């Protein structure tokens, strides 16, 4: 079993906890109260700005063969995910420019930026976000919400292109060959941050 496959196995129970979270369940049903999603949207916007910085820090350390992968991931996050947030912000009345990080966002981005000081460990730390959202999107898309704004959110993360980016990270983790126990520790901590992030302020 590869390192990435081991991470999937230990991550599934924590992913199931996300699927059971009231915020995720509300998105899945399409009836999440707007103030909750608005708050999540603002926090995730701030998170993604730092996520781009994490990709950029890893790109500086990447082997030549994966420099383009990390540049692509940074570009996709900045131009596609953040564009989704900007478009949804108008529909939910979110104040992206005036938003301030809450405790969960602050703790998660600090963890990622610190882990990105090491190439292999940084990949393991950031993988919960890519793998988690890709898997959540795929599962939620099996019975998508009728509410069009939440449907757009689900469709973004269920898209095959997002799944392909996630698979590229898995390959990069396996090739970087981090210490397996350290990779599991960082991945688990990342998954715990992912779960805590749904407790929007």
């Amino acid at each position: 079993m590869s390192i990435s496959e081991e991470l999937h196995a230990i991550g599934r129970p924590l992913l199931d906890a996300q699927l059971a979270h009231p915020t995720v369940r509300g998105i899945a049903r399409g009836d999440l109260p707007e103030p909750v999603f608005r708050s999540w949207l603002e926090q995730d916007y701030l998170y993604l700005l730092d996520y781009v910085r994490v990709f950029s820090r890893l790109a500086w350390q990447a082997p030549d063969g994966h420099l383009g992968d990390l540049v692509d991931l940074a570009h996709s996050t900045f131009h596609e995910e953040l564009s989704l947030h900007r478009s949804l912000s108008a529909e939910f009345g979110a104040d992206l420019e005036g938003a301030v990080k809450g405790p969960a966002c602050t703790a998660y981005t600090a963890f990622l930026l610190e882990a990105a000081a090491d190439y292999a460990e940084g990949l393991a730390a950031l993988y919960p976000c890519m793998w988690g959202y890709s898997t959540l999107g795929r599962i939620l898309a099996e019975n998508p919400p009728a509410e069009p704004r939440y449907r757009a959110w689900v469709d973004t993360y269920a898209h095959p292109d997002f799944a392909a980016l996630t698979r590229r990270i898995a390959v990069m983790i396996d090739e970087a060959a981090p210490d397996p126990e350290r990779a599991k520790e960082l991945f688990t901590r990342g998954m715990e941050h992912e779960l805590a992030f749904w407790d929007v302020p």
Side-chain angles (χ1 to χ4, degrees), residues 11-35:
R12 185 58 204 232
L14 288 164
L15 185 77
D16 289 340
Q18 290 187 56
L19 286 166
H21 192 283
T23 301
V24 178
R25 289 172 63 190
I27 292 172
R29 292 190 306 266
D31 63 2
L32 183 69
E34 288 195 10

Side-chain angles (χ1 to χ4, degrees), residues 12 15 19 130-140 157:
R12 185 58 204 232
L15 185 77
L19 286 166
M130 296 289 298
W131 177 75
Y133 273 69
S134 177
T135 309
L136 284 175
R138 176 177 53 78
I139 292 170
L140 296 183
Y157 295 107

Side-chain angles (χ1 to χ4, degrees), residues 15-195:
L15 185 77
D16 289 340
Q18 290 187 56
L19 286 166
H21 192 283
T23 301
V24 178
R25 289 172 63 190
I27 292 172
R29 292 190 306 266
D31 63 2
L32 183 69
E34 288 195 10
V36 177
F37 192 77
R38 179 165 59 244
S39 182
W40 177 87
L41 196 62
E42 292 171 349
Q43 292 300 301
D44 202 54
Y45 180 81
L46 297 174
Y47 167 86
L48 288 173
L49 290 175
D50 277 344
Y51 204 51
V52 172
R53 293 182 174 96
V54 170
F55 283 132
S56 300
R57 189 174 192 187
L58 293 175
W60 185 81
Q61 306 171 63
D64 292 347
H66 287 306
L67 176 59
D69 291 309
L70 287 159
V71 171
D72 287 349
L73 286 160
H75 184 276
S76 175
T77 302
F78 192 82
H79 290 284
E80 295 174 22
E81 279 195 80
L82 286 173
S83 290
L84 171 70
H85 285 54
R86 293 186 188 101
S87 66
L88 288 174
S89 70
E91 299 184 39
F92 284 93
D95 180 12
L96 300 184
E97 300 308 320
V100 177
K101 286 182 182 178
C105 185
T106 298
Y108 195 3
T109 55
F111 161 72
L112 289 175
L113 288 164
E114 180 180 354
D118 180 274
Y119 175 71
E121 293 189 359
L123 291 172
L126 69 80
Y127 192 49
C129 184
M130 296 289 298
W131 177 75
Y133 273 69
S134 177
T135 309
L136 284 175
R138 176 177 53 78
I139 292 170
L140 296 183
E142 293 172 0
N143 185 24
E147 208 283 340
R149 297 171 300 176
Y150 293 130
R151 175 64 183 263
W153 186 93
V154 170
D155 287 346
T156 294
Y157 295 107
H159 198 282
D161 288 349
F162 193 79
L165 292 173
T166 301
R167 289 193 295 270
R168 286 162 76 177
I169 288 288
V171 170
M172 291 161 66
I173 291 171
D174 292 336
E175 290 182 359
D179 174 77
E181 294 308 312
R182 179 62 174 159
K184 292 175 188 177
E185 175 193 349
L186 290 165
F187 181 81
T188 300
R189 287 174 60 191
M191 289 296 292
E192 290 168 348
H193 280 295
E194 284 288 320
L195 180 59

